[in-house]
Amino acid sequence: MKSSPDFIRENTALESPPLVPEIELHLANEGYPLWQKTSDQLEEMGLPPPFWAFAWAGGQALARYIFDNPELVADRKVLDFGSGSGIVAIAAAKAGASHVTASDIDAYAIAAMEVNAAANEVEFEITDDDLTGTECLWDTVLAADVCYEQPMSGTVTDWLRALAKHGADVLIGDPRRMYLPKDGLEQLAKYSVKTKTHLEDTDLLNAQVWRVVAD
């Protein structure tokens, strides 16, 4: 199975993201063929874009903020929505969350989360269910780099607002991408994050952490 943990290990290297040295992730880099593939080449191989193989700016910022403010997750039920590599879920687990659920609909992300959790000696629940629109079952909800396309980002942020109204603390990590909502957010922190030039068209992003404000 291509999306197995062995595939993840064979196509990545274990590295610490620049903003979160407390964590090691299996990430793609210039030394691995996966890094060099174009979207067309990946499609020909039957592979979706490997979003799980990179430490995106919003995820790094949100993980950093959790380590610096562990009271947001300590002894709480936490959801990391659209988890990708699992960087935010790992940070929540390390910061003392009582239970962490990491969700992603990409089978490769599921495998990546498994190997990344093991590399960091933490455990959390992993699901490939699309949780968008479900009732609030968590105290804290974390979502990084989810505002990159429409209409998905609008549907997700509407749901995150509903969770905030239900009483959850809802935080978003994002470098002000195009579809990040223009209102209903309170900025909590801002970080300069080194990233990969062919992914973001710049090697340095200012990534923010935002709290979703319940109306």
Side-chain angles (χ1 to χ4, degrees), residues 58 61-62 65 72 141-145 147 160 169-177 180-191 206-213:
L62 192 48
Y65 193 76
L72 291 168
V141 177
L142 309 168
D145 303 294
C147 297
L160 294 177
D169 283 332
V170 182
L171 275 61
I172 295 175
D174 194 276
R176 293 181 85 76
R177 290 192 175 88
L180 182 73
K182 301 298 189 292
D183 51 23
L185 298 177
E186 173 193 2
Q187 183 175 306
L188 301 178
K190 183 176 182 180
Y191 304 94
N206 290 317
Q208 288 90 33
V209 175
W210 312 84
R211 174 176 281 120
V212 177
V213 179

Side-chain angles (χ1 to χ4, degrees), residues 1-208:
M1 180 180 178
K2 287 182 177 178
S3 58
S4 70
D6 285 343
F7 176 86
I8 305 300
R9 295 187 185 97
E10 290 166 2
N11 287 276
T12 60
L14 199 57
E15 303 176 3
S16 290
L19 199 59
V20 198
E22 298 95 331
I23 291 176
E24 287 188 311
L25 300 174
H26 288 267
L27 302 174
N29 64 36
E30 292 90 338
Y32 288 81
L34 186 66
W35 176 277
Q36 307 294 341
K37 302 295 184 184
T38 66
S39 58
D40 288 341
Q41 289 172 323
L42 290 169
E43 186 174 354
E44 289 176 4
M45 296 170 62
L47 299 176
F51 297 129
W52 51 267
F54 303 98
W56 298 89
Q60 288 195 55
L62 192 48
R64 178 73 269 148
Y65 193 76
I66 290 167
F67 277 124
D68 293 342
N69 300 274
E71 68 278 3
L72 291 168
V73 299
D75 300 317
R76 289 182 152 212
K77 293 182 179 179
V78 176
L79 170 65
D80 176 23
F81 176 76
S83 191
S85 68
I87 183 173
V88 175
I90 292 167
K94 283 179 170 284
S98 61
H99 186 272
V100 179
T101 300
S103 71
D104 204 294
I105 60 174
D106 184 344
Y108 294 86
I110 298 298
M113 283 189 269
E114 292 176 2
V115 298
N116 287 332
N120 289 275
E121 300 181 335
V122 296
E123 294 183 358
F124 49 84
E125 179 185 357
I126 300 173
T127 179
D128 62 359
D129 292 339
D130 184 355
L131 299 179
T132 309
T134 60
E135 63 178 313
C136 188
L137 303 174
W138 312 277
D139 304 306
T140 302
V141 177
L142 309 168
D145 303 294
V146 297
C147 297
Y148 57 87
E149 66 179 15
Q150 282 283 36
M152 181 273 290
S153 61
T155 301
V156 168
T157 53
D158 285 347
W159 172 59
L160 294 177
R161 285 196 182 95
L163 297 182
K165 290 179 181 178
H166 191 274
D169 283 332
V170 182
L171 275 61
I172 295 175
D174 194 276
R176 293 181 85 76
R177 290 192 175 88
M178 180 181 298
Y179 299 114
L180 182 73
K182 301 298 189 292
D183 51 23
L185 298 177
E186 173 193 2
Q187 183 175 306
L188 301 178
K190 183 176 182 180
Y191 304 94
S192 293
V193 183
K194 291 182 179 179
T195 186
K196 306 299 184 181
T197 55
H198 83 287
L199 294 174
E200 299 279 14
D201 298 322
T202 178
D203 61 0
L204 191 67
L205 285 179
N206 290 317
Q208 288 90 33

